Amino acid sequence: MGLVGVQENGNGEMALSLGNKNKYKRMDSKLSDDFDDDASHHRHQLERKRSIRKYVLACAIFASLNNVLLGYDVGVMSGAIIFIQEDLKITEVQEEVLVGILSIISLLGSLAGGRTSDIIGRKWTMAFAAVVFQIGAAIMTLAPSFQVLMIGRVLAGIGIGFGVMIAPVYIAEISPTVDRGSLTSFPEIFINVGILLGYVSNYAFSGLSVHTNWRVMLAVGILPSIFIGFALFIIPESPRWLVMQNRVEEARSVLLKTNEIEKEVDERLSEIVAAAGMSNGEKNEDKAVWRELLSPSPSLRRMLITGFGIQCFQQITGIDATVYYSPEILKDAGIESNSKLLAATVAVGVTKTAFILIATFLVDRVGRKPLLYVSTIGMTVCLFTLSLSLALLGNGQLGIALAVLCVCGNVSFFSVGMGPICWILTSEIFPLRLRAQASALGAVGNRVCSGFVAMSFLSLSRTITEAGTFFLFSLLSALSVLFVYTLVPETKGKSLEQIELLFQDQNEWQGSEVELGDSEHLVQKA
């Protein structure tokens, strides 16, 4: 048969050769097609990952815009208060109340924010916060008297309370596990950006008349909230909130947009459903959320101690005093002219903002606790050195240089750890059904401590001197080092549902045991 085949083809060898070549061509073509399919699939996956990362990044940025408002208010008020005092002839006590009332009033927004976000959703709570702040800022801008200025300040504080509480919760709930730490630090980044913009605004508009300049400074703060309106058309609702509303398919759709690996979406959705107490047709416990918070289980008590404690330590170490009253501090150190004081505060703002970016880069690489150690120890050293400088060096050039260096050092170490990680931890550690309101409780502690520090700093400084006040802050900062060591677990690399399991240890709540247990979990995870 082979011979016949050769004869029929006229040139058997050629025909055979051609036949083999065609066979090889068909095999090569098939391999080439498979390779092209693999390459195309790989390109598609890379494009999808890039697209998802951009989308999640945009969501985190837009969700953090409310925090620009808080930062801007803190920064701008440090300089505006100089001109408000001159224009409206307010007393030192009124100055303290005007500066500190925002933090106290914002706790009302934070308290209401948890329940509100559980009812209308995380997304629309952010929108509501922006509207309330805009109304308050407009009233402050047009205020003819101290009393009207206070009304605007109260409304602005309520809006800020809503925004500060909900942003880290929302970002933590939409973020992929691997990027959650860096993305959840965005609100703190934007607070620092706002502070810097406030300092720059002070310097830029200080040349206007005393009646006009502080009004323009406050009016500029309305602009960031306008962009939040545009954000509502871009950002999705939190998938975890959607699950709590039994809108599971919508939650799955959001997870597909925010998770790089498609096959993990159903796994994450199952974890969220289970955490919400809805798996196998189960409903949430009838026990009211606030009742559960007020009579917590041992694991929830550990969460509350960690979350509430870290929020309070963030403020009682005096960061708001350093930022709000940096012109006063530097003036006592020896800087005299207003323009030089405001220029020095710009340097403080630039330093604070730059170091928060370092924290964002490192928080998901080295972990939360190492950065907290660096932060709290560094702050303790800077605060103690500042107290010595103010007490011993007087108003000479060395005293001025050391004071500026210590103030910049303090805000830098704060931004590396305590600033962003405080909000990251609070948004991570609580169970889904309690997360919004427990985070609100932590934010209340933060705002109360902030208000107490801001409203008492001038009076305390007159009583025990500024040097004595910063020595007190350094002692509290030293206590925060001990708190981090004993009561804060490492949460890097864990899903929100895995973090919840960390606290469900039946052993006694001892910091060393928690830290060792957490290390074991990290090793297993790795």
Side-chain angles (χ1 to χ4, degrees):
M1 289 295 293
L3 182 59
V4 172
V6 171
Q7 289 176 345
E8 286 178 351
N9 284 296
N11 187 343
E13 185 177 353
M14 181 62 70
L16 182 61
S17 175
L18 287 172
N20 288 339
K21 185 180 288 186
N22 289 336
K23 180 180 178 182
Y24 293 145
K25 279 184 178 179
R26 286 194 298 271
M27 291 176 64
D28 290 345
S29 176
K30 185 174 185 302
L31 289 171
S32 178
D33 289 344
D34 290 343
F35 179 78
D36 289 342
D37 288 343
D38 290 343
S40 175
H41 178 71
H42 183 65
R43 281 196 301 271
H44 172 73
Q45 287 295 103
L46 288 177
E47 289 173 3
R48 184 176 184 278
K49 285 184 178 181
R50 281 195 292 265
S51 176
I52 286 174
R53 285 185 177 181
K54 288 178 182 178
Y55 181 70
V56 174
L57 181 64
C59 291
I61 289 173
F62 282 123
S64 302
L65 286 176
N66 272 318
N67 293 70
V68 175
L69 306 179
L70 172 59
Y72 184 83
D73 183 271
V74 170
V76 80
M77 191 54 70
S78 69
I81 194 68
I82 298 172
F83 306 106
I84 292 172
Q85 192 175 30
E86 187 176 345
D87 184 31
L88 300 182
K89 311 300 181 186
I90 63 175
T91 66
E92 185 177 276
V93 172
Q94 288 177 319
E95 179 183 348
E96 284 184 317
V97 171
L98 183 63
V99 170
I101 196 67
L102 183 134
S103 294
I104 297 295
I105 292 299
S106 65
L107 71 87
L108 299 177
S110 294
L111 274 174
R115 181 61 179 157
T116 302
S117 68
D118 281 344
I119 296 172
I120 67 174
R122 313 325 194 200
K123 175 178 173 179
W124 293 106
T125 301
M126 289 186 281
F128 180 73
V131 170
V132 174
F133 178 86
Q134 283 179 323
I135 295 171
I139 292 173
M140 286 193 294
T141 300
L142 303 173
S145 65
F146 174 76
Q147 289 74 17
V148 177
L149 187 62
M150 284 294 294
I151 293 172
R153 193 91 171 130
V154 167
L155 287 174
I158 292 173
I160 285 174
F162 272 95
V164 167
M165 171 263 146
I166 197 58
V169 171
Y170 173 82
I171 295 172
E173 291 186 347
I174 67 163
S175 300
T177 299
V178 68
D179 296 321
R180 189 182 62 247
S182 58
L183 291 174
T184 310
S185 69
F186 272 36
E188 184 66 22
I189 293 175
F190 278 74
I191 288 176
N192 284 275
V193 170
I195 290 172
L196 177 58
L197 292 175
Y199 286 156
V200 172
S201 178
N202 289 338
Y203 187 71
F205 300 118
S206 61
L208 300 176
S209 68
V210 171
H211 182 71
T212 304
N213 56 13
W214 64 269
R215 299 177 189 275
V216 176
M217 294 172 187
L218 296 179
V220 171
I222 298 175
L223 296 177
S225 61
I226 295 174
F227 291 102
I228 296 173
F230 297 104
L232 297 177
F233 296 100
I234 297 175
I235 65 176
E237 185 51 85
S238 160
R240 287 168 170 84
W241 182 81
L242 291 171
V243 167
M244 291 174 69
Q245 306 303 309
N246 292 322
R247 293 156 62 178
V248 178
E249 283 305 312
E250 291 179 57
R252 188 177 189 279
S253 177
V254 174
L255 287 171
L256 284 169
K257 294 178 181 178
T258 57
N259 282 268
E260 297 176 8
I261 304 175
E262 292 183 48
K263 65 182 181 181
E264 291 184 0
V265 168
D266 289 328
E267 181 183 341
R268 288 198 65 191
L269 185 60
S270 297
E271 287 181 352
I272 295 170
V273 170
M278 294 169 55
S279 58
N280 299 321
E282 293 179 4
K283 300 295 182 183
N284 286 333
E285 295 179 357
D286 293 333
K287 191 177 182 182
V289 169
W290 280 109
R291 186 179 171 191
E292 188 171 353
L293 289 173
L294 294 174
S295 56
S297 64
S299 61
L300 180 56
R301 186 179 298 112
R302 292 191 281 268
M303 295 175 189
L304 290 170
I305 290 170
T306 300
F308 193 80
I310 198 74
Q311 288 279 8
C312 292
F313 270 114
Q314 190 203 52
Q315 292 298 328
I316 63 174
T317 49
I319 188 62
D320 273 6
T322 306
V323 176
Y324 271 127
Y325 297 109
S326 54
E328 295 272 353
I329 297 166
L330 298 176
K331 186 176 183 179
D332 284 353
I335 301 177
E336 297 179 356
S337 72
N338 284 343
S339 61
K340 288 182 179 180
L341 284 173
L342 296 178
T345 60
V346 172
V348 173
V350 169
T351 305
K352 197 171 189 297
T353 305
F355 276 83
I356 189 68
L357 297 177
I358 295 174
T360 302
F361 178 77
L362 293 177
V363 68
D364 281 321
R365 290 171 172 80
V366 303
R368 283 58 159 158
K369 288 195 76 167
L371 290 181
L372 282 174
Y373 285 138
V374 171
S375 177
T376 51
I377 293 171
M379 288 170 61
T380 302
V381 172
C382 289
L383 289 167
F384 181 71
T385 306
L386 179 59
S387 71
L388 291 180
S389 172
L390 293 172
L392 302 178
L393 296 182
N395 296 335
Q397 291 299 313
L398 178 59
I400 293 173
L402 191 56
V404 171
L405 181 63
C406 288
V407 169
C408 288
N410 184 46
V411 298
S412 299
F413 282 113
F414 176 86
S415 293
V416 163
M418 188 62 89
I421 294 174
C422 163
W423 297 103
I424 293 171
L425 283 172
T426 307
S427 64
E428 288 180 330
I429 63 177
F430 294 109
L432 175 57
R433 69 186 181 280
L434 305 174
R435 186 171 298 137
Q437 297 194 49
S439 296
L441 193 62
V444 166
N446 183 284
R447 294 294 85 203
V448 168
C449 292
S450 170
F452 176 76
V453 169
M455 294 178 73
S456 63
F457 177 76
L458 292 179
S459 299
L460 190 61
S461 295
R462 299 291 177 268
T463 304
I464 63 173
T465 72
E466 277 191 4
T469 303
F470 280 103
F471 178 72
L472 178 61
F473 287 150
S474 71
L475 292 180
L476 293 171
S477 185
L479 285 177
S480 73
V481 180
L482 183 62
F483 178 86
V484 170
Y485 175 74
T486 56
L487 297 173
V488 177
E490 180 59 75
T491 59
K492 177 176 76 80
K494 296 178 175 64
S495 71
L496 297 179
E497 290 68 34
Q498 289 170 333
I499 292 170
E500 182 179 343
L501 296 176
L502 272 179
F503 290 87
Q504 294 178 359
D505 193 315
Q506 296 302 313
N507 294 326
E508 291 293 323
W509 175 241
Q510 296 176 359
S512 59
E513 291 181 7
V514 170
E515 190 170 2
L516 287 172
D518 185 55
S519 299
E520 290 169 4
H521 278 292
L522 277 174
V523 171
Q524 292 169 4
K525 180 72 176 176

